[in-house]
Amino acid sequence: MNSDVQIAGDPLAIPHLLPPVAAHPSTVAGFAGLAAAIAADRASWAHLVRYDAASRWYHRLRTGPGYEVWLLSWVPGQGTGRHDHGPSSGVLTVLDGELTEHSQGAAGPAARLRLGAGAVRVFAPGYVHEVVNDSLEPAVSLHVYFPGLTDMPQHGPRCAAALAL
C-alpha cells in the first residue's frame, strides 16, 4: 500500500481549506477604519504623491465593492470650490499638512474647521463644503467615497467662511 496522500481535484474548492474572505466595510465606522488602515500604511501610498502647481493632483488608490479610495495633494492656495458629492458619503483624512474645511448650513452660520495631519472628517450625501489648503505648506489627503464618486456638483460662490479669510 502506498503511503503518499494525493488530493484529487482542486484543493481550493474545499471550503474549510480556504482562508476566510476579507470583509469589506459596510458602515461609516468600517470606512473610517479602512481610511485609518491605509493612512497608517504610509509605504503603500507615499511614493505615489505628486504635487501640481496648476491643479490639485489626485490618484485613485483602491476600489472595492461599492467604494473607492482617492489620494490627493494640495499645494498652498489650492481648493475644491463649494461642492457636494452627490449620492456618495465620504471619509476625508488628512495625511500630511493642514487643510481647512469651510461649510455653511442652509440657515446656520458659516463655519471654518482646520484639519491637521491625522484629522478625520465624515460626511453624508448632499453635504456642501469647500476644502482649501490655506497654509504655507503642501498637504496630502485620503478620501473614501461610498458608493464610489459619480458626481461632484459645484455650488456657486465660495462659502462665507472662506471669503472671510
Side-chain angles (χ1 to χ4, degrees):
M1 177 170 196
N2 189 347
S3 62
D4 292 326
V5 175
Q6 295 182 2
I7 299 174
D10 181 3
L12 296 179
I14 303 170
H16 69 278
L17 294 179
L18 296 175
V21 175
H24 292 284
S26 61
T27 65
V28 171
F31 285 106
L34 173 66
I38 294 170
D41 186 10
R42 191 173 188 86
S44 72
W45 56 264
H47 67 284
L48 299 170
V49 175
R50 305 286 180 265
Y51 296 97
D52 185 335
S55 66
R56 282 177 297 123
W57 171 89
Y58 52 90
H59 172 77
R60 187 164 57 188
L61 193 60
R62 182 184 298 184
T63 60
Y67 72 91
E68 57 188 14
V69 180
W70 290 86
L71 184 63
L72 281 74
S73 72
W74 317 65
V75 298
Q78 290 179 336
T80 61
R82 198 167 164 245
H83 69 283
D84 70 61
H85 300 93
S88 299
S89 294
V91 177
L92 179 158
T93 302
V94 178
L95 302 174
D96 283 324
E98 181 180 276
L99 296 171
T100 304
E101 181 191 42
H102 304 279
S103 62
Q104 186 169 6
R112 179 182 347 181
L113 181 62
R114 295 217 183 262
L115 305 168
V120 177
R121 192 80 168 120
V122 176
F123 51 87
Y127 176 68
V128 178
H129 68 159
E130 178 174 16
V131 179
V132 179
N133 180 355
D134 58 14
S135 75
L136 299 176
E137 300 294 328
V140 178
S141 58
L142 183 79
H143 303 248
V144 180
Y145 298 107
F146 50 99
L149 192 61
T150 59
D151 196 16
M152 195 170 134
Q154 294 294 310
H155 289 268
R158 297 182 76 183
C159 294
L163 294 173
L165 294 176

